[in-house]
Amino acid sequence: GNSVTQMEGPVTLSEEAFLTINCTYTATGYPSLFWYVQYPGEGLQLLLKATKADDKGSNKGFEATYRKETTSFHLEKGSVQVSDSAVYFCALAGGSSNTGKLIFGQGTTLQVKP
Amino acid sequence: ETGVTQTPRHLVMGMTNKKSLKCEQHLGHNAMYWYKQSAKKPLELMFVYSLEERVENNSVPSRFSPECPNSSHLFLHLHTLQPEDSALYLCASSQEYIGRNTGELFFGEGSRLTVL
């Protein structure tokens, strides 16, 4: 079945450092890919998405490119801020199964220190 | 009010209590979801309702009983819970469940449940 694997956390960075959170997926067909973010004490919210191969999703300085050849959707940001401290979830939906189910990775905690 | 609202935000209950979690969405969506979020575990999809009909029930114990009286409201009735059921319960909604679903879910802030 479809699945998503994220790098283990927590990831601890200093402010203004470069961020990469790895995400790889297993799916048949052409799923859509997503990054969700959960700030402390809140629910998840969509950060960015890409619906087809080579698409780049971007939002709030974060980017991720849908790489079908490597089945990856790594999240990057050039300069993180303390306010980016949160849990980040990679997810996929669709593909050949075409159900409404959104499959989440286990989440990666990011801690940014001043 | 907009978005997805969950009440209560925090709940402490004994194993013999009966309580309910409530979710309300003001987005005009047709699908609603319950997820369980436990520490160091992936999000677990519990139930999905599409147009008030349950379409997914992922092997959830019967001590959790969902109810969807209309497309804007979703409840999770809790009875005879165990300490390992302590978790953050997240409600979400989406425009549609199958076909037109873009995969974008709108989440509430969650109900933090502690079972003593």
Side-chain angles (χ1 to χ4, degrees):
Chain A
N2 294 351
S3 66
V4 176
T5 302
Q6 292 179 234
M7 61 188 289
E8 294 262 351
V11 174
T12 303
L13 296 174
S14 297
E15 208 164 20
E16 299 184 3
F18 184 86
L19 168 70
T20 299
I21 299 179
N22 290 338
C23 171
T24 57
Y25 68 90
T26 301
T28 54
Y30 299 91
S32 295
L33 301 173
F34 307 84
W35 278 101
Y36 279 79
V37 59
Q38 184 178 31
Y39 298 104
E42 299 183 12
L44 280 72
Q45 55 185 276
L46 180 66
L47 179 61
L48 53 84
K49 68 178 182 181
T51 57
K52 61 183 188 292
D54 299 325
D55 267 3
K56 178 185 284 187
S58 61
N59 186 25
K60 300 182 181 179
F62 291 89
E63 293 183 339
T65 301
Y66 187 159
R67 302 283 189 200
K68 188 158 180 66
E69 64 276 14
T70 54
T71 61
S72 65
F73 193 54
H74 304 320
L75 182 68
E76 297 181 334
K77 186 174 185 181
S79 176
V80 293
Q81 305 300 311
V82 172
S83 57
D84 293 326
S85 298
V87 183
Y88 292 81
F89 294 89
C90 186
L92 71 81
S96 297
S97 60
N98 195 30
T99 71
K101 187 180 294 188
L102 194 62
I103 308 296
F104 286 94
Q106 70 270 34
T108 303
T109 299
L110 170 65
Q111 298 173 337
V112 181
K113 299 190 174 180
Chain B
E1 190 172 354
T2 59
V4 180
T5 304
Q6 290 187 243
T7 54
R9 293 291 310 277
H10 299 273
L11 177 64
V12 179
M13 58 187 290
M15 290 192 286
T16 58
N17 291 157
K18 287 184 181 180
K19 296 287 184 183
S20 296
L21 306 180
K22 178 183 176 182
C23 176
E24 184 173 2
Q25 58 98 358
H26 306 272
L27 301 168
H29 289 168
N30 290 324
M32 296 187 76
Y33 309 73
W34 279 117
Y35 282 87
K36 177 182 179 183
Q37 186 177 28
S38 305
K40 302 188 188 302
K41 288 186 178 181
L43 279 167
E44 300 174 48
L45 179 62
M46 301 176 71
F47 301 105
V48 183
Y49 278 81
S50 177
L51 296 171
E52 302 149 45
E53 179 179 338
R54 192 190 308 181
V55 295
E56 290 241 12
N57 178 355
N58 288 343
S59 302
V60 178
S62 59
R63 57 185 183 269
F64 294 92
S65 174
E67 178 189 1
C68 187
N70 56 62
S71 59
S72 298
H73 293 84
L74 184 65
F75 294 89
L76 188 62
H77 303 301
L78 315 170
H79 176 51
T80 322
L81 294 192
Q82 304 299 311
E84 60 265 28
D85 297 323
S86 298
L88 182 67
Y89 289 85
L90 292 166
C91 175
S93 70
S94 65
Q95 184 66 51
E96 305 287 350
Y97 177 59
I98 290 178
R100 289 170 54 197
N101 182 30
T102 63
E104 182 171 358
L105 298 185
F106 293 78
F107 284 84
E109 294 181 320
S111 293
R112 173 71 62 186
L113 173 67
T114 302
V115 182
L116 301 177

